[in-house]
Amino acid sequence: MIHVLEKEVADKIATGEVIERPLSIVKELVENSIDAGARSITVEIKKGGKNYIRVTDDGCGIKSDEVEIAFLRHATSKISRAKDLESIETLGFRGEALASIAAVSRTEIITKTAEEKAGTRLVIEGSSIAEREATGCPGGTTIVVRDLFYNTPARRKFMKSDAGESSAVIEFVSQISLAYPHLRIRMISNGNMLFSTPGKGDRYKNILTVFSRELGDGLIPVQAEEGNLRLEGYISNPGESRATRKQQIFFVNGRVVDSKVIQKGISQAYADKLFEGRFPIAFLFLAIRPDSLDVNIHPNKREIRFNDEDFVTEFIRKSLREALLSKESIPEVKEKMLFRRPFPEPTAAKRESAAPEPVAAADKIEAEVPPEEEQVNIKKLLSNIRNEEDRREPELREAVAEYQVKPSPEADIFVESSETILPKTPAPFDFDELTITGSIFGTYITAVDESCFYLIDQHAAHERIFFEKLMRQYRQSETYCQPVMLPITLNVSYDVAESQDDWVLHLNKMGFQAEVFGPRTYRIKGIPAFMELEEAERFLKDFTEQAAAGTKIDNLPAIEKIIMRSCKSAVKAHDYLKDEEIRSLFEELKQCENPFSCPHGRPTFIKMTQYEIEKMFKRV
Ligand code: ADP
Ligand code: MG
C-alpha cells in the first residue's frame, strides 16, 4: 500500500533535489520499475530526454485509488518505520521521485495492476492533475515525462547538449542491463533501438551486447565469497589498461555506485601490474547483507557506506588478485592486433523506427541479440555522441539501425533459467604444464603448454624474482647472507649519511652486512645470498640514493617502494641462458607471489593461443 511517511521517518531520509537532468528521471523511473518486479523495461528518450522520456514496465502496477498518492511527497510503499532504513532491500525508499518529477514537467502515467480490469491514466502538469480517466492497458506501468523544466526555465540552462544528455542516459541504462541480466532491457533513442538485452541472466553476454566485443574479449572472470560478501564480475588483464577509471563500474546489491573503498581494492590488486596512471577495466557486482551497508547517505543513492570498509577493500583485493594469477590474465597476442580492421562500416540497413509503439505497458517482444559480427559497437557510438554534437546524429542513426530487434518465435514466453549464469572460475596457472622450447635473442624464453605458446622476458622475470626474494628476506628477518671477499666500500653524500640510522638498519634486515666505516663511508661485508656482486653494488647505490630522496622509510609499503625502484637497474641483463639456468629461473618464478609481471608493471609472460596462431596462418 502506498502511504505518506510519518514526519519522524521522513526527517531521517537524506534529502535534496534529485531531479537535475534527464538522467535523474530515467534513473528514478527505472529503479521504480525494478522495485515493481518488472521482467521487461523499455526506456525511450527523444532529444536527450529533454522533451520526452518514456519508461515502460510490466511490473505490479499501481491500484487506481493509489495513483494520486504515489505522486505525493514522501509517499512510498517500500518502508514505513525508521527501522526499515537500516535494511533497505528496494532501490527506492524516499518516496520523493514521482513528486519531484511531476513538479518540473508534464507527466503522464498509465498503470494497471494484474487484478484490476481497467487501468488508470493520469496527466499531471507541474504538480496539479490535468486529466484522469480509466483506460484499457496491459498490466504494468508506463510513465512519460514531457518538457522537462518547462516551468523552471532557469534549470534548463544546466543541462548539456542533447547528445550529452542522451549519452549519460544510455550509459546508465547500459550499466543497469549488466546489473540485472535477468531483465529484458531496451534502450531507444530518437526512434532507434540502441540495444536490447535478452534477459537470460548472462552478464557476460550483456557486456558484449551493450559495450563491445573487443572489450569483452580480454576480460577475466572473478568469483569469490567471504563472510557476508559475494563478488562476481569481470576484470581486464593487466595488458588492457585504460587512462581513466571510466570503465570501472561497480554494483552493490544491484545499485550502480561510486565507491572509493572498492576502487582502493582494485588498485591494490593491480598495484605492481600496471604503470602509474593506468587503470584496469572492472565490472564488479558485489552482494552484501543490507544491514552491513548504509545507502541513505546521499539523495541520489550513488554513494554508499560500508560498515566495515577495510574488510571490503581487502576482500576485493584478494579476490581480484586470485583471478589475476590465472592463465587468462597473461597478456595475449591476437590475430586482430596484427591485421587491425577499422571499425566496421555500417551497411545501409533499413532504419527501424520505434514510433508506432503504443504508450502502453511492456511489449512482450523477446529481443534477439544480433550475430556478434553485426553488433554495432555501442561504446564507440557513445563516445561519438560525446565528442560530436547533434550534427553527427544522422550517421549515428544509420549505424544503430543495424542493431534492431527481431521478434523471436519465443515471444510472449517468459521462461528464464532461474540461475544466473555465473562466470566460470578461471583455473590458476600451472607452471608444471610448461615445456620450455628454447630462447630467442638472448632475451626471451619460449615455452608451450597444451593450448598456448609463451614468450617470457627473462630480464623482467629476474627482476620479479630479485624483488620478491629481497622483500621476503626483509619481512621474515630471516636472512641468507654471503660474506664478500673484498668488502664493498660505499661512499654517500652528507644527506644520506645523515639518515644512516634509518637505512643501514633496513639494509641489514634484507641480508646485507653494512657497517659505518667513516663519516660518509660504509663497508659492506656481506650481501644477500642470491645476489651477484655487481647486482649488490648497483642495488646499494640506488637504494641509498632513494633514501636521500627524502622518502621516509618507516613502513612496509615505503620500503617496498624503494626496493622496487632500486631493483630496476640492479638486476643483471643475462645473455643466453643455459638450459639449467632457464629451468631454475622457472622454478624461482613459480615460487613468486606474482609471477606475471616485473615489479614495475611490465609483463613477464605473453601468450598466443594455438587458435590465434592458426587464425593468423588462415588455417581456421
Ligand atoms: P519510492 O520509490 O522511494 O517509494 P517514488 O516516488 O519513486 O518513491 O514512488 C512512489 C511509489 O509509487 C512507490 O513506492 C511505488 O509504490 C509506486 N510506484 C512508482 N513507480 C512504480 C512502478 N513503475 N510500478 C509500480 N509502482 C510504482
Ligand atoms: Mg522511486
Side-chain angles (χ1 to χ4, degrees), residues 27 79 94 100 125 130 144 185 194 204 206 216 265 275 309 350 359 374 393 402 447 511:
K27 182 168 184 293
I79 61 168
R94 306 172 65 237
S100 310
E125 297 196 355
V144 179
I185 296 183
L194 294 189
Y204 185 65
N206 282 5
F275 290 110
E309 300 192 334
K350 108 175 151 1
V359 178
E374 278 175 33
E393 288 216 2
E402 269 195 12

Side-chain angles (χ1 to χ4, degrees), residues 2 32-33 36 57 60-62 70 75-78 92-99 141:
I2 309 180
N32 279 348
S33 298
D57 68 49
C60 66
I62 303 177
T76 181
S77 53
K78 301 172 192 173
F93 56 88
R94 306 172 65 237
E96 289 202 303
L98 292 185
T141 304

Side-chain angles (χ1 to χ4, degrees), residues 478-578:
E478 184 184 312
T479 52
Y480 300 94
C481 177
Q482 52 176 331
V484 283
M485 301 261 277
L486 271 181
I488 305 169
T489 311
L490 187 67
N491 292 310
V492 301
S493 56
Y494 282 109
D495 52 337
V496 177
E498 197 59 30
S499 57
Q500 67 178 29
D501 287 350
D502 212 0
W503 57 263
V504 170
L505 187 90
H506 289 296
L507 278 180
N508 290 344
K509 266 180 93 173
M510 284 173 228
F512 289 92
Q513 255 175 31
E515 52 185 46
V516 183
F517 193 60
R520 284 193 294 137
T521 310
Y522 302 82
R523 226 165 56 160
I524 318 292
K525 294 202 312 207
I527 63 173
F530 69 88
M531 274 190 203
E532 294 183 23
L533 191 62
E534 296 160 52
E535 287 178 335
E537 279 171 340
R538 279 193 296 258
F539 180 82
L540 286 165
K541 195 166 147 286
D542 273 20
F543 186 82
T544 47
E545 261 167 35
Q546 299 279 339
T551 329
K552 194 120 186 64
I553 332 180
D554 54 0
N555 54 29
L556 202 61
I559 187 89
E560 190 172 87
K561 212 169 192 170
I562 295 185
I563 292 181
M564 187 255 280
R565 290 199 189 122
S566 314
C567 301
K568 201 160 193 164
S569 55
V571 178
K572 195 174 147 201
H574 292 268
D575 214 353
Y576 281 97
L577 298 176
K578 293 198 204 70

Side-chain angles (χ1 to χ4, degrees), residues 250-494:
F250 316 139
F251 305 85
V252 174
N253 293 352
R255 265 196 191 88
V256 184
V257 299
D258 300 319
S259 168
K260 290 258 178 326
V261 174
I262 298 178
Q263 248 174 36
K264 197 162 137 199
I266 298 181
S267 306
Q268 288 178 359
Y270 282 84
D272 48 3
K273 292 182 170 283
L274 289 179
F275 290 110
E276 236 163 84
R278 300 295 299 178
F279 303 94
I281 300 166
F283 298 102
L284 297 182
F285 306 88
L286 187 70
I288 180 168
R289 264 216 327 265
D291 60 1
S292 312
L293 183 75
D294 190 356
V295 291
N296 183 22
I297 293 184
H298 191 273
N300 73 11
K301 293 171 276 169
R302 242 192 117 101
E303 271 157 59
I304 48 167
R305 190 178 297 134
F306 296 104
N307 293 355
D308 189 346
E309 300 192 334
D310 293 344
F311 185 73
V312 175
T313 300
E314 178 53 18
F315 171 70
I316 301 277
R317 188 200 66 81
K318 254 193 324 215
S319 316
L320 267 52
R321 198 76 185 182
E322 204 161 290
L324 286 172
L325 286 177
S326 65
K327 185 167 163 180
E328 272 95 333
S329 80
I330 298 176
E332 187 180 342
V333 181
K334 288 194 176 163
E335 182 244 14
K336 67 169 186 263
M337 297 172 173
L338 303 184
F339 315 106
R340 205 178 274 280
R341 279 185 289 267
F343 179 60
E345 291 297 313
T347 52
K350 108 175 151 1
R351 196 177 299 171
E352 194 204 45
S353 166
E357 262 198 85
V359 178
D363 8 20
K364 296 184 177 162
I365 301 173
E366 169 75 328
E368 194 179 77
V369 184
E372 279 148 2
E373 312 80 80
E374 278 175 33
Q375 284 193 17
V376 174
N377 184 336
I378 296 285
K379 205 63 196 169
K380 188 101 178 183
L381 297 175
L382 269 174
S383 66
N384 278 352
I385 328 179
R386 252 178 229 128
N387 301 339
E388 319 244 339
E389 291 299 302
D390 295 359
R391 63 196 157 80
R392 286 293 303 259
E393 288 216 2
E395 221 183 303
L396 172 72
R397 266 200 294 275
E398 293 263 313
V400 294
E402 269 195 12
Y403 206 87
Q404 38 184 280
V405 169
K406 304 169 193 113
S408 91
E410 297 168 69
D412 278 332
I413 302 175
F414 273 81
V415 273
E416 275 181 292
S417 72
S418 57
E419 278 165 45
T420 307
I421 300 166
L422 292 174
K424 65 174 194 316
T425 318
F429 182 72
D430 189 354
F431 274 88
D432 296 333
E433 278 178 11
L434 286 181
T435 310
I436 297 159
T437 56
S439 78
I440 55 173
F441 312 134
T443 312
Y444 307 103
I445 299 164
T446 57
V448 288
D449 67 11
E450 192 191 308
S451 57
C452 296
F453 168 73
Y454 299 90
L455 282 168
I456 298 101
D457 181 332
Q458 60 184 51
H459 188 72
H462 270 129
E463 274 185 13
R464 162 56 59 188
I465 295 164
F466 187 95
F467 170 73
E468 288 204 10
K469 278 187 174 168
L470 209 49
M471 276 313 292
R472 217 173 300 146
Q473 297 217 16
Y474 182 87
R475 270 199 306 253
Q476 296 170 352
S477 42
E478 184 184 312
T479 52
Y480 300 94
C481 177
Q482 52 176 331
V484 283
M485 301 261 277
L486 271 181
I488 305 169
T489 311
L490 187 67
N491 292 310
V492 301
S493 56
Y494 282 109

Side-chain angles (χ1 to χ4, degrees), residues 41-326:
I41 301 173
T42 301
V43 177
E44 175 171 9
I45 53 172
K46 288 178 186 159
K47 296 209 165 285
K50 292 175 188 171
N51 293 0
Y52 184 92
I53 298 171
R54 170 173 72 93
V55 175
T56 293
D57 68 49
D58 60 352
C60 66
I62 303 177
K63 280 204 283 206
S64 181
D65 57 359
E66 292 188 349
V67 182
E68 278 90 347
I69 305 174
F71 283 87
L72 296 178
R73 250 178 227 285
H74 299 307
T76 181
S77 53
K78 301 172 192 173
I79 61 168
S80 45
R81 297 161 307 152
K83 186 120 189 55
D84 297 339
L85 284 170
E86 287 163 25
S87 54
I88 293 164
E89 298 198 32
T90 49
L91 295 171
F93 56 88
R94 306 172 65 237
E96 289 202 303
L98 292 185
S100 310
I101 294 168
V104 292
S105 67
R106 296 182 225 272
T107 305
E108 176 180 352
I109 179 171
I110 297 172
T111 184
K112 189 181 97 60
T113 60
E115 301 76 38
E116 286 171 320
K117 286 219 164 53
T120 310
R121 177 172 168 273
L122 201 66
V123 179
I124 301 176
E125 297 196 355
S127 298
S128 48
I129 295 168
E131 287 173 49
R132 186 193 220 278
E133 61 181 358
T135 179
C137 64
T141 304
T142 285
I143 293 187
V144 179
V145 177
R146 294 187 175 86
D147 305 326
L148 181 57
F149 299 141
Y150 80 98
N151 50 358
T152 51
R155 288 164 70 176
R156 297 193 136 231
K157 282 206 297 285
F158 293 100
M159 290 193 282
K160 299 202 176 117
S161 66
D162 292 0
E165 292 301 337
S166 55
S167 130
V169 169
I170 296 165
E171 191 171 348
F172 167 76
V173 180
S174 310
Q175 294 172 350
I176 280 288
S177 347
L178 301 190
Y180 296 90
H182 281 107
L183 304 187
R184 281 195 305 243
I185 296 183
R186 299 213 262 159
M187 178 71 232
I188 302 165
S189 175
N190 293 326
N192 295 299
M193 178 77 71
L194 294 189
F195 59 81
S196 174
T197 64
K200 294 253 158 63
D202 189 340
R203 273 190 180 131
Y204 185 65
K205 229 183 186 143
N206 282 5
I207 294 179
L208 302 185
T209 305
V210 172
F211 290 91
S212 71
R213 191 167 170 76
E214 292 103 74
L215 184 86
D217 252 358
L219 295 179
I220 309 164
V222 184
Q223 212 190 329
E225 198 164 349
E226 190 179 338
N228 59 3
L229 292 173
R230 208 163 70 85
L231 179 70
E232 231 185 273
Y234 294 90
I235 57 176
S236 57
N237 76 48
E240 275 288 325
S241 61
R242 293 287 189 272
T244 67
R245 284 212 175 83
K246 245 189 120 39
Q247 284 181 351
Q248 296 188 354
I249 304 174
F250 316 139
F251 305 85
V252 174
N253 293 352
R255 265 196 191 88
V256 184
V257 299
D258 300 319
S259 168
K260 290 258 178 326
V261 174
I262 298 178
Q263 248 174 36
K264 197 162 137 199
I266 298 181
S267 306
Q268 288 178 359
Y270 282 84
D272 48 3
K273 292 182 170 283
L274 289 179
F275 290 110
E276 236 163 84
R278 300 295 299 178
F279 303 94
I281 300 166
F283 298 102
L284 297 182
F285 306 88
L286 187 70
I288 180 168
R289 264 216 327 265
D291 60 1
S292 312
L293 183 75
D294 190 356
V295 291
N296 183 22
I297 293 184
H298 191 273
N300 73 11
K301 293 171 276 169
R302 242 192 117 101
E303 271 157 59
I304 48 167
R305 190 178 297 134
F306 296 104
N307 293 355
D308 189 346
E309 300 192 334
D310 293 344
F311 185 73
V312 175
T313 300
E314 178 53 18
F315 171 70
I316 301 277
R317 188 200 66 81
K318 254 193 324 215
S319 316
L320 267 52
R321 198 76 185 182
E322 204 161 290
L324 286 172
L325 286 177
S326 65

